[in-house]
Amino acid sequence: MSRTVASIIAGRPATDAPGGHQTSTNPSDTGETVADVLLGDAATFVAACEAARAAQREWAAVPAPVRGRAIQQLGRLVEDNKEALSRLVTREIGKPYAESLGEVQEIVDTCNFFVGEGRRLYGQTVPSEMSDKQLFTFRNPVGVAAIITAGNFPVAVPSWYLVPALLCGNAAVWKPAEYAPATAEALAQLFLHAGLPDGVLNLVLADGPQTFAGLEQALDRGLVDKVGFTGSSAVGAEIGALCGRHLQSPCLELGGKNPLVVMADADLDLAVEGALFSGFGTAGQRCTSLGTVIVDERVHDDFFARLKAAVEEAPIGDPSEDVLYGPMIHERFLERFESEWLGLVRDHHSVHGSTATGRITAAHPREGFVGDDPEKGLFVHPTLVDGVRVDDDLANTETFGPLVGVASFGDWEEAMALANGHGYGLSASIYTTSPQSAFRYRERIGAGMVSVNNSTSGAEAHLPFGGNGKSGNGSRQSGMWVIDQFTRWQSLNWDYAGKLQKAQMDVADIEGDLDYRLDE
């Protein structure tokens, strides 16, 4: 069943389409329309920021524990609509239903965490260096937050931004990925029905260029106080530069080339299981997807044989069935997978993993494909590339798809050069039974998130999420750490001495005899 979706500004859906019309289709069956979309433009984005600005002060005046009540109600609404929202995620972006259920649960977990934070937006009392004076600190909302998110996690990642931003007293303008508009509109409706006043959350459906132009205009007019962006490193750099011109520090969660190191003492079957899910879950379309497996040369052949067999036997196809992965999210990623990322394979590499590479078709079938006709959808073969070297393009380029490289190392320094040399720093994993290796890896790896004997993917709602280098600017989402993104510290000094007291000048002194020495 198709629906019509549009931007929502100040609680009202748009009825015009200044940015044109778009059709959202099911990537498992591109002949099926999921939604007809009325697109906004730069002016739509600015209007949404104006609506947020008008609503923010009154929302900030609502006591934080009461704002937490709206978050609590959102969590209940999402939980009660979990299956319907999960089915929509699977239908619109092709994520396997089991993963979609997990993604929607992430919203519930995030809400459950931040309900309590409404009663814990703590400031501090600080002792003054002068008598009859008290010092205090307070957390204030930033103001209006503009949130721009990707579509590979179309509901979980937005909740990481929106839930804490709204709880802290900000108003928000959310621009989701244009290839997941129906899912975004459904989530926005759940937010609005949780009790948010009109204008506190605004949804803008628009393409990338119009969004960037609108954000630039809104920043020029002083309508936006904080930008959050999840997406590619290239676009993140542009947004970072734009915000920098306005002396703002955005929250940037960008791409990754996430390494998984397999030590000689590792449980190889467990490492294969982790690599399979890390590299090929969601068809490799996660920012935390595995980029390169880095294997001790002493166990390389044994590990690779097991991983190769696992990839070849993995069920791939219809995301409503029990499969490792479904289709590519959108045509744009399929095209880049075939034209760019598979083109990184070189003559010294060996290619494995399936009966062909590229798109799964009648001419290039996948043995054991789950479903009817793969040509109806955007399905691609899993590709496993052995023989990757530290200076290969494949070792240093994010590949957004089911493509995993395998390298081998002889010593620790070689392993770390492979693990860090790409310049990304989002997620990393090591498989080992040695605490020494685990701690050495944590010390040396440049990633913001490290796993031991677990996959490179898999975040929990109360743990900081974010990366370094080309993966982000050091900002963090989730848990109590994200509150620093959506609040500003304010200090208050209250002097009741009845006279002007000057810091560092009118400070009492304690005299001591510093020449005193003990007798020997």
Side-chain angles (χ1 to χ4, degrees):
M1 181 180 65
S2 178
R3 65 186 76 186
T4 298
V5 296
S7 301
I8 303 173
I9 299 176
R12 294 180 294 277
T15 57
D16 59 348
H21 293 260
Q22 176 186 296
T23 300
S24 175
T25 59
N26 182 344
S28 296
D29 182 355
T30 56
E32 178 190 347
T33 297
V34 177
D36 297 306
V37 190
L38 307 181
L39 290 175
D41 60 4
T44 307
F45 192 93
V46 172
C49 294
E50 290 174 334
R53 177 66 67 192
Q56 189 271 326
R57 187 177 296 275
E58 186 174 344
W59 176 243
V62 175
V66 180
R67 296 196 299 265
R69 177 67 173 164
I71 300 306
Q72 181 184 46
Q73 292 172 171
L74 170 64
R76 290 178 178 176
L77 276 171
V78 172
E79 197 160 25
D80 289 344
N81 288 274
K82 182 176 181 178
E83 289 76 16
L85 185 57
S86 298
R87 284 192 293 270
L88 182 56
V89 169
T90 294
R91 187 167 170 239
E92 189 163 48
I93 70 162
K95 181 171 290 190
Y97 183 63
E99 285 192 46
S100 295
L101 286 169
E103 177 171 351
V104 173
Q105 181 62 41
E106 185 81 11
I107 309 172
V108 178
D109 295 344
T110 299
C111 289
N112 287 343
F113 180 88
F114 280 102
V115 167
E117 289 304 299
R119 296 183 181 275
R120 287 192 298 269
L121 286 176
Y122 296 142
Q124 295 176 311
T125 56
V126 184
S128 173
E129 63 188 28
M130 289 175 281
S131 302
D132 297 326
K133 186 178 181 182
Q134 294 292 328
L135 308 180
F136 308 88
T137 63
F138 300 87
R139 283 190 183 271
N140 289 337
V142 172
V144 172
I147 306 301
I148 304 168
T149 56
N152 55 341
F153 285 87
V155 294
V157 169
S159 75
W160 293 355
Y161 288 104
L162 297 173
V163 168
L166 297 172
L167 178 86
C168 291
N170 303 283
V173 174
W174 175 33
K175 207 298 286 188
E178 55 264 41
Y179 50 86
T183 304
E185 196 268 348
L187 181 60
Q189 290 290 356
L190 293 173
F191 267 90
L192 296 176
H193 283 81
L196 297 179
D198 290 347
V200 170
L201 174 64
N202 304 274
L203 175 71
V204 176
L205 302 181
D207 66 22
Q210 290 294 327
T211 299
F212 192 88
L215 177 61
E216 189 170 27
Q217 293 173 31
L219 285 166
D220 286 341
R221 293 176 53 181
L223 297 174
V224 171
D225 305 290
K226 183 72 179 185
V227 177
F229 174 75
T230 294
S232 72
S233 299
V235 176
E238 293 184 29
I239 289 177
L242 174 62
C243 293
R245 295 203 298 269
H246 295 270
L247 302 182
Q248 289 193 23
S249 174
C251 180
L252 300 176
E253 195 275 289
L254 309 176
K257 189 68 178 178
N258 308 295
L260 186 153
V261 172
V262 181
M263 301 297 289
D265 61 359
D267 179 333
L268 295 188
D269 287 332
L270 182 63
V272 166
E273 186 179 6
L276 188 69
F277 178 74
S278 298
F280 298 99
T282 321
Q285 298 168 110
R286 307 176 184 134
C287 57
T288 54
S289 288
L290 168 61
T292 306
V293 189
I294 304 165
V295 191
D296 189 303
E297 60 187 14
R298 291 171 290 179
V299 296
H300 169 272
D301 291 351
D302 189 3
F303 170 83
F304 187 80
R306 301 185 198 200
L307 179 59
K308 175 177 175 289
V311 175
E312 290 173 345
E313 296 166 5
I316 292 164
D318 184 349
S320 66
E321 302 292 338
D322 184 14
V323 295
L324 176 61
Y325 69 80
M328 300 296 282
I329 295 172
H330 190 268
E331 287 88 348
R332 70 175 69 176
F333 301 118
L334 172 63
E335 292 170 2
R336 291 195 68 188
F337 183 76
E338 291 193 297
S339 65
E340 295 183 36
W341 298 319
L342 284 177
L344 301 176
V345 176
R346 300 291 181 255
D347 291 341
H348 63 272
H349 296 149
S350 60
V351 178
H352 312 266
S354 193
T355 45
T357 58
R359 190 167 186 172
I360 300 174
T361 63
H364 302 283
R366 161 75 177 183
E367 186 175 330
F369 179 82
V370 179
D372 299 326
D373 181 5
E375 294 191 12
K376 288 184 177 180
L378 310 177
F379 298 97
V380 298
H381 291 273
T383 304
L384 190 61
V385 181
D386 194 20
V388 173
R389 302 170 183 169
V390 69
D391 57 348
D392 283 344
D393 291 335
L394 185 57
N396 298 295
T397 304
E398 182 182 24
T399 53
F400 202 66
L403 173 60
V404 172
V406 180
S408 61
F409 68 90
D411 58 38
W412 183 252
E413 292 304 321
E414 189 178 358
M416 294 313 303
L418 283 158
N420 282 325
H422 42 71
Y424 290 90
L426 185 57
S427 180
S429 176
I430 185 171
Y431 278 77
T432 181
T433 55
S434 164
Q436 181 185 33
S437 294
F439 281 112
R440 287 176 70 197
Y441 188 65
R442 187 209 65 77
E443 290 173 353
R444 291 284 301 277
I445 196 69
M449 301 176 291
V450 186
S451 291
V452 179
N453 297 330
N454 207 327
S455 73
T456 59
S457 296
E460 296 191 37
H462 52 286
L463 199 65
F465 185 100
N468 311 311
K470 291 190 288 186
S471 293
N473 59 349
S475 55
R476 293 294 182 264
Q477 297 170 288
S478 297
M480 64 182 183
W481 297 271
V482 73
I483 293 176
D484 285 334
Q485 297 297 317
F486 295 111
T487 57
R488 293 288 180 265
W489 283 107
Q490 181 185 61
S491 62
L492 169 67
N493 73 81
W494 189 328
D495 197 319
Y496 48 93
K499 60 180 180 180
L500 178 63
Q501 298 190 92
K502 299 181 288 295
Q504 293 89 45
M505 298 171 66
D506 299 332
V507 180
D509 194 14
I510 294 179
E511 295 184 3
D513 181 5
L514 301 184
D515 292 326
Y516 175 77
R517 299 292 184 272
L518 292 172
D519 294 331
E520 295 189 24

